[in-house]
């Protein structure tokens, strides 16, 4: 254990040495060094960092530097094995304890812990808090406790796990062992819950920027969602792995089947599937290349596959928090990735209906409604989407990003006051109880059966809006709802009524700027490198593409032999650097980021041979 203050620089040097020799990386990312220093010195820490930010090293390196075994609490049993495999590849003595082990396997791990033969052990929370496990820990030298996905302790979040509440016992029973809690969920109430419920009052808080510069955000108006999806995939991700989120199980099945018919390998994932099927599909997604998972939000927590190149929302997500977490699963490796959403007014109405059906207290309901409004505002914004997203999480100082649809293809706006007045008066004159479809019929002067039955063809607004197409009117209505001039009346049947500012719009007192989104912004080319992206672009010259494919094939073969996911051997970013630098000897290979000492010994020669063979 690191004792006196005078040894701080020594601890910093040793941490850097481990980063380089074990993990093969040149230097720490921004907050990592300070976090590691804090924990090595025995202090508690709360780490708020986006997905892909590099949280794991913040406890892995201290566990290697401090005496004893580091205990990692992780709620995701299915992923523990991969995490442990990845550490073992780097030469770290790691293991896990969960219900998938046989009693004799578990006994073996426990013996290793007691004898000091393990550096890191991943434990499921429900197991950790059993008297038996606590007793075991009291007989071991424990280096630290890392509480991963710490937001699971909060009822505010979407991933609440009751067993996390019991983790405060770690503080009570092991007051001298440092604890580090980590999460990618940043909002204030969740953060306060974590501190209170895990008794982390003395923890130093490390809050990194939540920006993910390599992710490109785009939102398109929903027309034919499936064919829009297929156009997007063909243009930009013809062979990449990615996730497609849908709102319902039925739709998940339908979209997966449809993508398969289009020649992709697309696997469904939702709570209605047999757990064995779900697990198999997740496993294939992790272990094979180029697979698409079509899922409800049941999929994805803790998925640490680094080369998920796109996350699609075919239906609107539940909130911006959920959206940010779900899109955050793209591009963990820092290479360019896409977050792409289609959405329409019907999605919002569906979400409102879900909310209305849920048994919630009035306060909670109003919070949820507020969240939904924020989401709608994001979808309809004409300014930089990243600014809106980060602003929502409290980061207001970012300039326009240059890597979202609104930055790349600035939206044209037009003076929409008269149009807005027509829309609002259509809603008002029909009694503020009809949805968009009927209002658009009235505005465009369509003599539908319903219009006739209700006598709406005799209204003054009938036919005053024939200058706009149906699609254009739908966009106008979405924007008016997003701007708060109209609102969805859930006490009625989801009809539109005037919002607070509606009357002022009718009186012409409020300027209205509307976005024209008749033309969907064109898709940027695959491989375009975002400005400021920390990572190199993925685009390769035609000369280098065969080498990259050869290295990928070699990696897949090694991964299959060992039954581990390919990225556990090397990440794409590491292979790409090999392609660019074409090392010819082990020393040069060892310079590549992601090639630590252990991997150099195991795989250096075979990858050198692949490079020599392909470039010869
Ligand atoms: P998180 O748990 O925060 O989502 P990870 O710990 O999985 O993120 O790290 C994301 C990726 O970044 C991993 O591929 C990891 O190897 C890489 N990484 C982390 N720290 C560094 C670093 N200092 N230098 C280079 N790569 C890093
Ligand atoms: Zn932007």
């Amino acid at each position: 254990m690191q004792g006196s203050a005078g040894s701080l620089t020594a601890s910093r040097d040793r941490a850097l040495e481990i980063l380089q020799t074990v993990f093969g990386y040149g230097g720490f990312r921004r907050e990592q060094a300070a976090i590691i220093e804090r924990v090595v010195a025995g202090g508690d820490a709360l780490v708020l960092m986006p997905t892909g930010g590099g949280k794991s090293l913040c406890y892995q390196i201290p566990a290697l530097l401090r005496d004893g075994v580091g205990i990692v609490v992780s709620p995701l049993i299915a992923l523990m094995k991969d995490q442990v495999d990845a550490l073992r590849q780097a030469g770290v003595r790691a293991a896990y304890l969960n219900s998938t082990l046989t009693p004799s396997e578990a006994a073996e791990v426990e013996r290793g812990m007691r004898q000091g033969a393990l550096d890191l052990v991943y434990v499921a929370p429900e197991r950790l808090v059993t008297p038996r496990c606590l007793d075991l820990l009291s007989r071991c030298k424990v280096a630290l406790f890392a509480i991963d996905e710490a937001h699971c302790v909060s009822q505010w979040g979407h991933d609440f796990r009751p067993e996390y509440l019991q983790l405060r016992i770690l503080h009570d029973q092991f007051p001298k062992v440092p604890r580090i809690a980590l999460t990618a969920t940043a909002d204030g109430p969740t953060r306060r819950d974590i501190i209170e419920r895990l008794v982390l009052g003395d923890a130093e808080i490390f809050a990194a920027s939540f920006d993910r510069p390599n992710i490109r955000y785009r939102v398109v108006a929903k027309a034919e969602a499936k064919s829009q999806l297929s156009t997007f995939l063909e243009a930009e991700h013809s062979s990449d792995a990615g996730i497609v989120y849908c709102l319902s199980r039925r739709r998940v099945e339908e979209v997966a089947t449809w993508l398969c018919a289009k020649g992709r390998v697309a696997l469904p994932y939702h709570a209605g599937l047999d757990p064995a099927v779900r697990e198999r599909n997740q496993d294939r997604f992790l272990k094979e290349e180029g697979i698409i998972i079509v899922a409800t939000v049941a999929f994805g927590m803790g998925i640490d596959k680094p080369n998920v190149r796109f996350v699609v929302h075919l239906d609107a997500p539940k909130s911006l928090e959920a959206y940010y977490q779900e899109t955050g699963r793209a591009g963990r490796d820092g290479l360019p990735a896409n977050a792409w959403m289609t959405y329409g007014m019907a999605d919002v109405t569906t979400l409102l209906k879900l909310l209305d059906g849920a048994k919630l207290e009035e306060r909670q309901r109003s919070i949820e409604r507020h969240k939904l409004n924020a989401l709608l505002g994001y979808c309809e914004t004409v300014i930089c989407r990243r600014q809106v997203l980060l602003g929502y999480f409290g980061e207001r100082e970012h300039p326009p990003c240059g890597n979202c649809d609104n930055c790349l293809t600035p939206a044209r706006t037009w003076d929409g006051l008269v149009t807005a007045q027509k829309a609002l008066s259509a809603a008002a004159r029909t009694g503020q109880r009809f949805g968009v479809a009927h209002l658009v019929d009235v505005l465009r002067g369509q003599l539908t059966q319903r219009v006739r039955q209700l006598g709406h063809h005799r209204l003054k607004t009938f036919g005053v809006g024939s200058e706009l197409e149906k699609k254009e009117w739908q966009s106008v209505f979405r924007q008016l709802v997003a701007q708060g001039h109209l609102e969805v009346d859930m006490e009625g049947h989801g009809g539109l009524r005037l919002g607070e500012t509606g009357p002022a719009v009718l009186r012409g007192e409020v300027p209205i700027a509307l976005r024209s989104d008749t033309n969907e912004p064109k898709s940027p080319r695959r491989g375009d490198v975002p400005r400021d992206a920390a990572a190199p672009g993925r685009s390769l010259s035609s000369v280098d593409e065969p080498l990259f494919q050869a290295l990928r094939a070699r990696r897949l073969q090694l991964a299959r032999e060992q039954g581990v996911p390919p990225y556990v051997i090397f990440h794409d970013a590491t292979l790409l650097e090999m392609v660019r630098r074409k090392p010819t000897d082990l020393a040069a290979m060892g310079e590549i980021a992601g090639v630590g000492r252990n991997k150099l010994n195991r795989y250096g020669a075979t990858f050198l041979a692949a490079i020599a063979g392909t470039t010869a």
Side-chain angles (χ1 to χ4, degrees):
M1 170 166 173
Q2 207 56 44
S4 70
S7 53
L8 262 186
T9 33
S11 115
R12 208 172 294 179
D13 289 350
R14 288 198 301 146
L16 188 61
E17 195 197 325
I18 290 186
L19 179 74
Q20 290 167 346
T21 57
V22 178
F23 297 96
Y25 295 133
F28 285 112
R29 289 187 184 155
R30 282 174 44 213
E31 292 80 4
Q32 282 176 331
I35 298 166
I36 289 168
E37 217 165 84
R38 165 91 184 165
V39 178
V40 169
D44 293 343
L46 171 57
V47 174
L48 310 159
M49 218 187 249
T51 308
K55 288 187 284 300
S56 323
L57 291 179
C58 297
Y59 55 83
Q60 289 167 349
I61 292 181
L64 292 173
L65 280 173
R66 286 176 61 88
D67 268 355
V69 58
I71 304 295
V72 186
V73 187
S74 161
L76 301 151
I77 291 183
L79 299 172
M80 282 183 188
K81 184 172 177 306
D82 291 349
Q83 286 164 328
V84 166
D85 282 340
L87 283 165
R88 287 185 179 160
Q89 292 284 336
V92 177
R93 303 175 304 169
Y96 58 88
L97 275 178
N98 65 34
S99 53
T100 67
L101 296 184
T102 63
S104 72
E105 286 169 332
E108 173 77 33
V109 173
E110 290 171 2
R111 188 162 352 132
M113 287 168 71
R114 278 193 306 269
Q115 293 172 348
L118 288 168
D119 302 310
L120 273 161
V121 174
Y122 287 71
V123 188
E126 61 278 7
R127 185 174 188 119
L128 182 70
V129 297
T130 58
R132 188 167 179 283
C133 192
L134 292 169
D135 178 62
L136 165 71
L137 290 175
S138 69
R139 292 161 200 274
C140 302
K141 175 100 191 111
V142 180
L144 58 85
F145 290 108
I147 302 167
D148 206 4
E149 313 283 358
H151 60 279
C152 289
V153 80
S154 171
Q155 260 143 335
W156 290 109
H158 21 80
D159 298 321
F160 176 58
R161 304 262 175 147
E163 60 273 21
Y164 260 62
L165 290 174
Q166 298 175 48
L167 291 176
R168 63 173 300 144
I169 206 167
L170 299 179
H171 167 262
D172 303 339
Q173 292 208 6
F174 305 91
K176 296 225 169 68
V177 177
R179 291 171 305 143
I180 168 171
L182 311 102
T183 178
T185 304
D187 66 279
T190 307
R191 183 194 305 200
R192 282 191 292 277
D193 267 2
I194 294 174
I195 293 172
E196 189 190 310
R197 297 184 172 178
L198 295 177
V199 207
L200 282 168
D202 294 331
E204 187 171 345
I205 299 177
F206 297 89
S209 166
F210 269 68
D211 190 16
R212 300 285 310 280
N214 60 315
I215 298 183
R216 171 171 294 175
Y217 299 97
R218 275 181 283 167
V219 180
V220 303
K222 190 186 283 191
E224 292 289 323
K226 278 188 303 202
S227 62
Q228 286 172 293
L229 171 65
S230 118
T231 309
F232 164 73
L233 292 179
E234 266 165 41
E236 302 180 47
H237 298 288
S238 55
S239 64
D240 292 327
I243 306 171
V244 176
Y245 284 110
C246 305
L247 213 53
S248 70
R249 298 172 188 184
R250 194 177 51 88
R251 190 144 160 88
V252 163
E253 295 287 350
E254 175 194 320
V255 171
T257 309
W258 192 78
L259 285 173
C260 288
K262 290 258 158 195
R264 295 296 303 251
V265 183
L267 306 173
Y269 190 104
H270 56 73
L273 286 172
D274 178 7
V277 174
R278 261 200 335 242
E279 199 175 314
R280 190 168 65 234
N281 288 353
Q282 171 168 313
D283 199 55
R284 284 190 64 190
F285 179 65
L286 297 178
K287 294 207 175 125
E288 295 173 30
E289 310 259 24
I291 291 199
I292 299 177
I293 282 275
V294 186
T296 57
V297 291
F299 179 76
M301 211 225 318
I303 287 291
D304 55 1
K305 183 181 172 73
N307 59 344
V308 175
R309 292 268 70 84
F310 62 91
V311 169
V312 164
H313 284 86
L314 217 48
D315 301 311
K318 276 202 180 123
S319 63
L320 278 185
E321 285 93 342
Y323 174 70
Y324 205 62
Q325 196 149 61
E326 285 149 20
T327 54
R329 290 168 189 143
R332 269 179 175 242
D333 53 12
L335 300 177
N338 275 309
W340 187 89
M341 187 202 310
T342 67
Y343 106 108
M345 196 66 218
D347 292 2
V348 179
T349 319
T350 307
L351 287 171
L352 277 167
K353 282 197 181 126
L354 284 178
L355 178 58
D356 221 51
K359 289 196 192 70
L360 293 174
E361 286 168 31
E362 203 37 53
R363 195 172 99 87
Q364 183 72 7
R365 187 184 304 280
S366 94
I367 292 175
E368 296 296 328
R369 204 178 294 249
H370 166 76
K371 288 185 172 183
L372 212 48
N373 282 337
L375 175 74
L376 192 58
Y378 169 79
C379 293
E380 291 296 345
T381 187
V382 293
I383 67 163
C384 172
R385 298 216 194 260
R386 196 178 310 269
Q387 284 183 316
V388 175
L389 270 176
L390 295 172
Y392 183 73
F393 295 113
E395 294 183 30
R396 298 190 197 286
E397 62 289 343
H398 293 271
C401 73
N403 193 29
C404 71
D405 50 3
N406 287 344
C407 283
L408 291 164
T409 319
R412 278 175 298 129
T413 59
W414 48 288
D415 177 355
L417 178 60
V418 174
T419 304
Q421 287 173 326
K422 289 179 184 174
L424 264 55
S425 90
R429 285 172 194 275
T430 51
Q432 312 204 55
R433 57 201 175 92
F434 292 95
V436 176
H438 181 68
L439 295 178
V440 171
D441 284 340
V442 171
L443 282 161
R444 300 194 67 243
Q446 307 283 319
L447 265 177
T448 62
Q449 203 185 4
R450 196 159 182 221
V451 166
R452 232 190 283 265
Q453 271 171 1
L454 293 160
H456 285 168
H457 54 298
R458 289 192 291 270
L459 295 175
K460 259 175 82 179
T461 22
F462 185 74
V464 297
S466 53
E467 73 278 13
L468 294 187
E469 300 287 323
K470 190 169 163 193
K471 246 171 76 175
E472 294 169 316
W473 272 118
Q474 286 169 343
S475 158
V476 167
F477 275 104
R478 281 201 311 272
Q479 296 184 63
L480 292 175
V481 173
Q483 294 178 14
H485 307 312
L486 280 172
E487 58 190 34
V488 181
D489 176 10
M490 292 317 297
E491 280 79 57
H493 294 281
L496 292 178
R497 65 180 178 206
L498 299 198
E500 208 171 307
T501 49
V505 173
L506 283 172
R507 292 194 299 270
E509 293 165 5
V510 184
I512 305 276
L514 293 176
R515 189 192 62 231
S516 49
D517 58 0
T518 41
N519 300 320
E520 219 173 88
K522 66 175 172 24
S523 295
R525 271 182 308 118
R526 172 196 176 88
D528 277 358
V529 186
R531 190 177 59 88
D532 290 346
R538 201 159 148 278
S539 53
L540 291 172
S541 70
S542 51
V543 196
D544 281 341
E545 190 65 35
L547 176 54
F548 182 58
Q549 295 308 335
L551 297 183
R552 265 188 15 160
R554 179 65 51 103
R555 176 178 68 175
L556 189 60
Q557 188 192 357
L558 290 166
R560 286 209 175 123
E561 283 164 17
Q562 301 176 48
V564 298
Y567 56 81
V568 161
I569 310 277
F570 284 129
H571 283 181
D572 284 1
T574 301
L575 296 191
L576 284 168
E577 201 179 326
M578 288 183 196
V579 170
R580 265 189 301 272
R581 301 196 8 195
K582 300 188 182 54
T584 51
D585 55 32
L586 282 174
M589 183 60 101
E591 297 281 296
I592 305 272
V595 185
R597 194 185 282 154
N598 205 55
K599 290 190 182 180
L600 183 66
N601 289 340
R602 285 180 74 174
Y603 308 125
T606 175
F607 279 86
L608 280 174
I611 293 167
T614 312
T615 54

